Amino acid sequence: MFVGNSREAGMWQRILLLGCMWSAFFVCRSRGQQINIGAFFYDDELELEKEFMTVVNAINGPESEQTMSFYPLIKRLKPEDGSVTMQEQACDLIDNGVAAIFGPSSKAASDIVALVCNSTGIPHIEFDISDEGIQAEKPNHQVTLNLYPAQAILSKAYADIVQNFGWRKFTIVYDADDARAAARLQDLLQLREVHNDVVRVRKFRKDDDFRVMWKSIRGERRVVLDCEPSMLVELLNSSTEFGLTGQYNHIFLTNLETYTDHLEELAADNETFAVNITAARLLVNPDPPPYSLPYGYVTQRDSIVYESNDPPRTLLHDLIHDALQLFAQSWRNASFFYPDRMVVPRITCDFAASGGRTWAMGRYLARLMKGTSGVNNTNFRTSILQFDEDGQRITFNIEVYDPLDGIGIAIWDPRGQITQLNVDVKAQKKMIYRVATRIGPPYFSYNETARELNLTGNALYQGYAVDLIDAIARHVGFEYVFVPVADQQYGKLDKETKQWNGIIGEIINNDAHLGICDLTITQARKTAVDFTVPFMQLGVSILAYKSPHVEKTLDAYLAPFGGEVWIWILISVFVMTFLKTIVARISKMDWENPHPCNRDPEVLENQWHIHNTGWLTVASIMTAGCDILPRSPQVRMFEATWWIFAIIIANSYTANLAAFLTSSKMEGSIANLKDLSAQKKVKFGTIYGGSTYNLLADSNETVYRLAFNLMNNDDPSAYTKDNLEGVDRVRKNRGDYMFLMETTTLEYHREQNCDLRSVGEKFGEKHYAIAVPFGAEYRSNLSVAILKLSERGELYDLKQKWWKNPNASCFEEPDPDATPDMTFEELRGIFYTLYAGILIAFLIGITEFLVYVQQVALEERLTFKDAFKKEIRFVLCVWNNRKPIVAGTPISSVRTTPRRSLDKSLDRTPKSSRRVVIGRSSEEMREMAHGSGSSSGSNNAGRGQKEARV
C-alpha cells in the first residue's frame, strides 16, 4: 500500500513538473527571449552607464511588443583595479551566460577582457580608444571589435586636413605621456623627417611649465595641438603671452572630444584671444534619437545654432549607442538564419582554459558585426560603420568645425576628399589688419601736411601702397592700420639665427597680417610667407647720372669743325682767291676781246679780278656754282683741285652736323649690364640682401655672376641699405657710380630728378605682391580684389598718379636708335647768321639808295624829300620791270650798240655828264629824247654834254 501510494505520488510529481515546464515554455514564448549582455564601467563613468541602460531599454522597446530583450549585467571598476580583478569580473559575467561584453574604456591598462572573450568565444565590443596591438597579438583578439576610429586612419585624416589648410610650415604639439599620440599623428610626424625646417615637433607633460614650450615656438602661426580636453584651456592660456592666440593664428585640435571643454568661455574672458581654432570630430547623423542628448553645450541644425544647459554628450555616448545597435542588429540577423542555435551555452573560464569547446555562434556574431556596413543606416549615430578583419574601424567621416560656436566647416571622408560645408556662420569678430610696410616713396611716405596738423593713424601716410590697401579694403570690407617696420628692411633670412628681419619677419612673428611696399616675390620668401597675385610687374635696370642739359650756343652750327679748322678754311679761301687771280692773269687764254666784232681791239680784258675769283671760290665751297668759268688748263686744274677740297669739307660738315647739334649719342659707352661689368672705371651696386642682390647671387649666368663678384670686391662697399641711398650715391658721384634697381622705382626717381637716366633694357622679370601668413584665409579675397582693380584700370591710374610729376620739366632724351629731329635750338645760329647777312645787305643797299637820292636831288635841283618820294615810288612799283636809259646820243643808237660797247662808251663819258634816272616813265623819256635831238641841231656845243637816264 505504501509502495503504491509512493508510485502514485511520483507520477503526479512528474505530471506537475511537466505542466510547470510547459507553463514556463508558454510564458517564455509569450514574453520573448532574454539575452544577457555584460558591460564594464568605472565608478566615474555614471553618465556612460546611464547611456548604456537608456539604449538597452530603447532597443528592447515596450514590454508588450518584445520578441527578445537584452538584460544588462553591469560590472563597476575602480581606478586601482588591475587585470586580475577584471579577469574575475569577466569570468563572472561569462558564468552568468552573457552573449557579449562591452567595455571597458581606455582607462583599463590591460586587454585581459579581450583575451578572456577570445578564449570563450564571447563577442567583445569596445567603444573607446585602445592600443592597436602588434601583428603577433591579433590572433588573441579575434572576437573583439572597436567602434573607435582606427589610429592609422585618423592619422591619414589629420594629414589630409592640414594639407587642405594649405599649411607648409607648422608645429606639432602633443602630450609626451600619451602613448597613443605618436600613432595618431604618425602621418604628420613623418613630414618632419622630410622637412625638418618646416615642420617642428614639441612635447609637453602635465606638470610642465607650458610657457617654456610655447616660447620655443614663439611667432609660430600654425599649430597642430593634440591633448586631453581637460588640459586645453590651460595650454591655450599659457600661450597667449607669446602671441600664439593672436588674430589669424590657426590652431588645429586633433582630439575628437574637444567639444567637451568650454572654449567659448576662454574667448569671452580674454580680449586678446582671437586665434582661429578648428577641431575634428566624428560626423554624426543630423537627426539623433529622441532619447539622446546633443553634443556639448552648442549644436547646429539647419544652419541654426541651439544652446543647451543639459550635461554634455560626448563621443563615447554615441559609440556606446552604436555598439549596442550593432550587436542587436547582428543578433537579429543570426536568429533569422539560425533560430535554434541562438542560445548561450553554459561556459566557464576554467572549462575553456582547459581545452573545452567555445561558443561557435559567438564567433559567428563577431564575423557578422565585422561585415556590417553602416552606410545610410539611421540606427547608428556615427556614419559609415565598417571594420577590417582585425575588428578595427576603418571607415568613418570626420567633421572639421569651429569649437567656439560648434558650426561645421568641412567633412573628410575615407577617400581623402574634403567637402566644404555651405552654412551661414556667425558674424565674424571685428578685425583690424596690421599692415607692415617701410618708408620709401612712391609706395609709402609721410604726409607732411598731416604731420604739420599733428594727425595720427593712417592719415599720417600717403603713397601708392596706401591707396592700394584702401581700395582693397573697400572691396573686401575690413579695417587696417599701417605699421612701418623699425629696421626699414624688406625681409632677409639670417643664416646663423634662422630669423627673418624686415616686413617678412613682422609677418612670421605674428606682428602683422599683411606686408606691402615694393616687396618682390622670391623663392626664399615664399618658404616663409605666402603672397597674393601680383599687383605690379617689373624688371631690373641700371640707374645712371645724366649730365644737365646745356643750351646750345649761337655758334653751335660751327661745332662740326674746331676753331682752327674754320681759321684754316678762311685762310684757304683768301689764299686761293689771290693765287687764282695771279694764275689767271699770267694765262694768255683768260685775256679776252671786250668787242668780239672788232677784230683789231685796242685793249684786252681779264674777267678774273679779285671780285670774280673770290666769288667763285666761295660759291664752290658752298656748292652754289657760278656762271663764269676759267678757260686755261692751269686755271681749270687749279679750280678742280679746289672743288675736291670743297666737296670733302662740305660733306664732312653735313655728316657731323646732326651728331654735334643733338643729344642722340649715349653718354659713355655703357649700354647694358654686360658693358657695365666689362669695365672698371664706373662702380655699380644694389641693395644688400634685396631681390636684385639675390637674383645676381643665385644666378648661374656668366654676366650676372661677374657683376655680383665685382660688387663684392669693391671697396668701399658698392651696396646700399635702400633705394634712396643708391639714388643719392648716383647723383653725388656724377657718372662714376651706377645703381641696379627695379624698373618701377627707377621710373619714379627719374621722373622726380632730371639728372637721372636709365641705361639699357630691363632684365630679370619680377613681381610685386602683398605678403600674408601661410594659410591665411583672407589671401584669396585680397587676390580677387587685386584682379578686379586691375580689370577696371585702377591699378594703372594709381601708378600714373604717384609716378608722374606734373611739375617736372626735364629734357626728354631722344631715342638713341631713332633718327634724331633737329630743333630750332640746335639750328638757330644758322638762322641768326642768315638774318645778320640779310640785315647787312639791306643796310648797304639803303645806304647806296640814300646816296643816289642825294645825287638826284642835286642834279635835278629838288629837295631831298621830293627826290626820295619820287625814287621810292618807282621802287615800290614792283610790277614795272622795264628801266629806260637816256643819254646824249639817240635812243636807237643806244639800243643797237652792243652791251660791251655801251659799257665802254659810258665809261668814256664823263661822270658829270651822265646819270641814271630811276624815277622817269617811258613817255617822259621819249619826250626828253626828242627835245634833246632838237637842241643838238641848233647847238652843236651841247653834243659834248651827254646825259643818260635809266
Side-chain angles (χ1 to χ4, degrees):
M1 186 69 183
F2 178 78
V3 175
N5 291 336
S6 61
R7 288 179 177 177
E8 185 178 357
M11 182 184 64
W12 284 106
Q13 289 178 355
R14 286 193 295 272
I15 293 173
L16 181 62
L17 179 61
L18 183 61
C20 290
M21 290 177 64
W22 277 104
S23 299
F25 173 76
F26 283 113
V27 170
C28 233
R29 295 294 295 176
S30 63
R31 294 184 58 189
Q33 184 183 15
Q34 176 178 306
I35 302 102
N36 293 334
I37 55 175
F40 285 95
F41 293 102
Y42 282 87
D43 290 341
D44 57 353
E45 295 176 342
L46 296 178
E47 291 295 330
L48 296 181
E49 182 180 342
K50 180 181 177 182
E51 175 72 13
F52 185 85
M53 299 299 297
T54 303
V55 176
V56 169
N57 293 332
I59 293 175
N60 291 336
E63 185 176 355
S64 60
E65 300 177 2
Q66 291 179 356
T67 58
M68 68 173 187
S69 62
F70 292 108
Y71 185 76
L73 301 177
I74 307 298
K75 293 294 183 180
R76 294 185 177 88
L77 300 173
K78 300 181 184 304
E80 61 271 13
D81 289 342
S83 58
V84 176
T85 303
M86 286 189 290
Q87 180 180 2
E88 294 174 353
Q89 299 273 13
C91 290
D92 185 61
L93 290 174
I94 293 174
D95 290 342
N96 285 288
V98 295
I101 296 179
F102 296 83
S105 65
S106 60
K107 295 179 181 179
S110 174
D111 62 344
I112 188 62
V113 177
L115 297 177
V116 170
C117 291
N118 186 67
S119 64
T120 58
I122 302 299
H124 177 222
I125 306 172
E126 296 178 325
F127 50 82
D128 197 0
I129 185 172
S130 63
D131 293 329
E132 298 177 5
I134 60 177
Q135 191 69 25
E137 297 179 356
K138 290 182 178 180
N140 298 326
H141 299 78
Q142 293 181 1
V143 295
T144 300
L145 291 87
N146 193 341
L147 274 76
Y148 200 92
Q151 302 300 293
I153 308 301
L154 268 181
S155 176
K156 179 180 181 300
Y158 295 152
D160 292 340
I161 293 171
V162 170
Q163 184 178 6
N164 182 260
F165 286 157
W167 293 3
R168 286 174 288 185
K169 180 182 180 182
F170 56 92
T171 299
I172 302 173
V173 179
Y174 67 93
D175 188 354
D177 296 329
D178 187 352
R180 305 180 183 95
R184 191 164 53 247
L185 302 172
Q186 59 180 339
D187 281 32
L188 291 174
L189 292 173
Q190 288 175 359
L191 294 177
R192 186 203 178 192
E193 299 176 1
V194 181
H195 307 288
N196 190 26
D197 294 336
V198 178
V199 180
R200 296 182 291 183
V201 176
R202 295 293 184 272
K203 301 178 184 179
F204 64 88
R205 298 184 184 275
K206 187 174 182 179
D207 297 329
D208 290 346
D209 185 356
F210 300 143
R211 295 178 300 174
V212 177
M213 176 194 66
W214 294 126
K215 185 178 181 180
S216 67
I217 59 171
R218 182 171 189 164
E220 180 63 81
R221 285 185 169 274
R222 309 288 176 253
V223 175
V224 177
L225 179 58
D226 185 275
C227 68
E228 292 293 331
S230 58
M231 304 175 62
L232 182 58
V233 173
E234 183 181 0
L235 279 166
L236 294 180
N237 271 329
S238 61
S239 68
T240 302
E241 62 179 293
F242 303 102
L244 294 172
T245 58
Q247 193 176 19
Y248 299 116
N249 277 40
H250 197 166
I251 298 178
F252 176 53
L253 306 177
T254 59
N255 193 292
L256 296 180
E257 296 189 75
T258 298
Y259 48 81
T260 60
D261 210 1
H262 304 162
L263 288 178
E264 65 277 3
E265 298 178 3
L266 176 64
D269 296 339
N270 190 350
E271 295 181 356
T272 62
F273 190 87
V275 62
N276 179 23
I277 297 181
T278 53
R281 65 185 175 191
L282 275 183
L283 180 66
V284 297
N285 290 325
D287 297 320
Y291 56 84
S292 65
L293 298 175
Y295 261 150
Y297 288 91
V298 181
T299 187
Q300 172 196 349
R301 187 180 302 163
D302 298 332
S303 301
I304 301 176
V305 177
Y306 297 93
E307 294 186 0
S308 174
N309 293 323
D310 296 328
R313 180 179 180 83
T314 67
L315 173 62
L316 298 186
H317 288 77
D318 288 323
L319 295 181
I320 288 175
H321 171 276
D322 289 353
L324 287 167
Q325 290 287 356
L326 177 63
F327 177 75
Q329 176 179 299
S330 300
W331 183 273
R332 293 189 188 99
N333 293 337
S335 298
F336 179 80
F337 292 104
Y338 305 100
D340 55 340
R341 301 178 62 180
M342 298 306 296
V343 178
V344 182
R346 305 293 292 182
I347 301 175
T348 63
C349 294
D350 296 337
F351 178 74
S354 62
R357 188 176 180 181
T358 60
W359 187 32
M361 291 307 296
R363 297 186 181 278
Y364 176 70
L365 283 173
R367 289 196 300 271
L368 282 180
M369 287 187 289
K370 291 179 181 180
T372 299
S373 174
V375 180
N376 298 324
N377 192 331
T378 57
N379 291 330
F380 299 116
R381 286 287 292 137
T382 58
S383 59
I384 316 182
L385 190 64
Q386 291 181 346
F387 302 88
D388 61 9
E389 60 181 5
D390 298 321
Q392 298 297 323
R393 183 174 181 176
I394 58 175
T395 57
F396 50 88
N397 286 342
I398 294 291
E399 181 182 18
V400 181
Y401 72 105
D402 185 348
L404 295 178
D405 51 24
I407 296 178
I409 300 173
I411 295 176
W412 174 91
D413 60 35
R415 296 172 297 176
Q417 297 181 355
I418 297 179
T419 305
Q420 302 295 326
L421 297 180
N422 296 321
V423 296
D424 296 330
V425 299
K426 295 165 61 176
Q428 293 184 348
K429 305 171 186 178
K430 183 178 180 181
M431 297 176 295
I432 300 179
Y433 288 74
R434 291 172 57 86
V435 183
T437 184
R438 61 182 295 279
I439 303 297
Y443 302 96
F444 190 82
S445 60
Y446 287 106
N447 188 332
E448 297 301 331
T449 303
R451 298 179 78 173
E452 294 176 358
L453 297 176
N454 295 324
L455 298 181
T456 59
N458 296 334
L460 189 60
Y461 309 109
Q462 65 178 5
Y464 178 90
V466 176
D467 290 352
L468 178 59
I469 289 295
D470 184 67
I472 295 175
R474 290 197 305 269
H475 179 82
V476 178
F478 63 86
E479 297 183 7
Y480 60 93
V481 57
F482 286 105
V483 184
V485 293
D487 57 6
Q488 287 294 298
Q489 298 297 315
Y490 296 96
K492 185 177 184 297
L493 178 65
D494 191 322
K495 296 182 179 180
E496 296 181 358
T497 63
K498 301 296 182 181
Q499 298 294 321
W500 286 83
N501 63 0
I503 296 175
I504 304 299
E506 292 291 305
I507 295 176
I508 293 176
N509 296 332
N510 197 25
D511 294 327
H513 308 125
L514 305 175
I516 186 173
C517 64
D518 48 337
L519 186 64
T520 308
I521 302 176
T522 63
Q523 185 60 38
R525 291 170 182 168
K526 289 183 70 175
T527 62
V529 297
D530 210 344
F531 288 92
T532 63
V533 297
F535 61 81
M536 191 175 293
Q537 182 177 352
L538 60 144
V540 179
S541 190
I542 304 172
L543 181 70
Y545 179 76
K546 180 177 69 175
S547 300
H549 176 65
V550 179
E551 186 177 351
K552 298 294 188 299
T553 59
L554 293 178
D555 59 350
Y557 65 95
L558 301 176
F561 294 153
E564 59 180 6
V565 176
W566 286 113
I567 293 175
W568 281 107
I569 290 175
L570 290 177
I571 293 175
S572 300
V573 169
F574 287 114
V575 170
M576 287 297 296
T577 299
F578 178 75
L579 294 179
K580 194 184 301 181
T581 302
I582 299 301
V583 172
R585 290 182 68 85
I586 64 177
S587 174
K588 178 180 179 181
M589 296 180 63
D590 284 305
W591 289 94
E592 300 177 347
N593 182 3
H595 302 288
C597 296
N598 186 3
R599 295 182 177 274
D600 188 17
E602 297 179 359
V603 294
L604 296 176
E605 291 184 353
N606 192 323
Q607 63 179 349
W608 298 108
H609 46 75
I610 291 295
H611 301 85
N612 287 343
T613 54
W615 174 253
L616 178 59
T617 302
V618 174
S620 298
I621 202 170
M622 299 298 293
T623 66
C626 187
D627 58 345
I628 55 176
L629 297 174
R631 293 185 176 184
S632 62
Q634 62 270 31
V635 179
R636 289 185 176 184
M637 184 64 186
F638 200 91
E639 189 63 30
T641 305
W642 176 252
W643 285 348
I644 294 174
F645 173 81
I647 290 174
I648 295 175
I649 291 296
N651 289 337
S652 299
Y653 177 85
T654 304
N656 293 329
L657 181 61
F660 279 91
L661 296 185
T662 64
S663 302
S664 62
K665 291 187 177 180
M666 297 291 293
E667 297 182 24
S669 59
I670 299 175
N672 48 47
L673 183 61
K674 182 177 180 180
D675 297 339
L676 189 61
S677 304
Q679 53 81 48
K680 296 183 179 180
K681 179 181 179 182
V682 179
K683 305 298 181 181
F684 60 95
T686 187
I687 298 178
Y688 182 76
S691 59
T692 304
Y693 175 91
N694 294 328
L695 171 67
L696 301 178
D698 300 336
S699 176
N700 293 325
E701 189 172 343
T702 304
V703 176
Y704 291 178
R705 294 299 305 174
L706 177 60
F708 181 74
N709 293 333
L710 289 175
M711 289 189 296
N712 283 338
N713 296 331
D714 281 344
D715 187 22
S717 175
Y719 299 117
T720 64
K721 64 179 181 181
D722 53 30
N723 285 324
L724 288 178
E725 182 181 348
V727 172
D728 293 340
R729 195 166 174 179
V730 169
R731 300 181 67 186
K732 290 179 180 178
N733 284 272
R734 294 181 171 270
D736 293 334
Y737 180 82
M738 294 185 179
F739 189 66
L740 306 181
M741 65 190 309
E742 284 84 358
T743 52
T744 51
T745 310
L746 186 148
E747 291 171 5
Y748 170 77
H749 287 288
R750 194 177 61 180
E751 285 283 340
Q752 305 301 317
N753 303 284
C754 296
D755 56 352
L756 297 176
R757 61 187 176 94
S758 61
V759 174
E761 298 181 354
K762 69 178 182 180
F763 59 91
E765 182 176 340
K766 298 182 179 182
H767 299 88
Y768 288 160
I770 300 176
V772 297
F774 277 131
E777 294 81 2
Y778 50 89
R779 184 180 72 90
S780 59
N781 293 334
L782 297 178
S783 297
V784 170
I786 292 173
L787 291 176
K788 290 187 176 181
L789 292 175
S790 177
E791 292 172 356
R792 293 199 294 260
E794 294 186 30
L795 294 182
Y796 175 79
D797 295 338
L798 285 179
K799 185 175 179 181
Q800 292 296 108
K801 172 184 176 182
W802 290 103
W803 262 253
K804 294 298 181 181
N805 183 9
N807 300 322
S809 58
C810 299
F811 174 76
E812 294 293 335
E813 290 185 348
D815 186 357
D817 298 327
T819 301
D821 296 330
M822 300 178 68
T823 62
F824 176 76
E825 179 188 351
E826 295 159 346
L827 296 177
R828 58 177 181 166
I830 299 176
F831 285 92
Y832 292 160
T833 302
L834 173 63
Y835 300 154
I838 294 174
L839 179 61
I840 294 173
F842 262 93
L843 291 177
I844 295 175
I846 291 173
T847 303
E848 182 181 357
F849 178 74
L850 294 177
V851 172
Y852 174 75
V853 169
Q854 179 64 28
Q855 182 181 355
V856 171
L858 293 175
E859 291 184 357
E860 295 186 6
R861 296 180 179 86
L862 298 173
T863 63
F864 180 83
K865 181 178 180 181
D866 294 337
F868 180 81
K869 287 181 179 180
K870 182 177 65 174
E871 299 299 332
I872 198 65
R873 189 181 297 115
F874 178 80
V875 171
L876 296 178
C877 293
V878 294
W879 58 87
N880 188 359
N881 295 327
R882 301 186 65 183
K883 299 180 181 179
I885 300 176
V886 179
T889 60
I891 296 298
S892 59
S893 64
V894 174
R895 291 181 178 175
T896 58
T897 304
R899 180 177 180 84
R900 294 182 184 271
S901 302
L902 177 60
D903 294 338
K904 185 176 180 179
S905 60
L906 287 177
D907 291 339
R908 291 195 295 263
T909 303
K911 293 182 179 181
S912 61
S913 62
R914 57 185 175 91
R915 60 185 176 90
V916 180
V917 182
I918 296 178
R920 305 302 178 111
S921 64
S922 58
E923 290 79 5
E924 292 177 335
M925 296 299 294
R926 283 194 293 268
E927 293 176 357
M928 291 178 64
H930 179 71
S932 177
S934 301
S935 62
S936 63
S938 60
N939 189 5
N940 295 329
R943 184 173 299 176
Q945 299 177 0
K946 299 178 180 179
E947 180 176 310
R949 301 192 180 195
V950 180

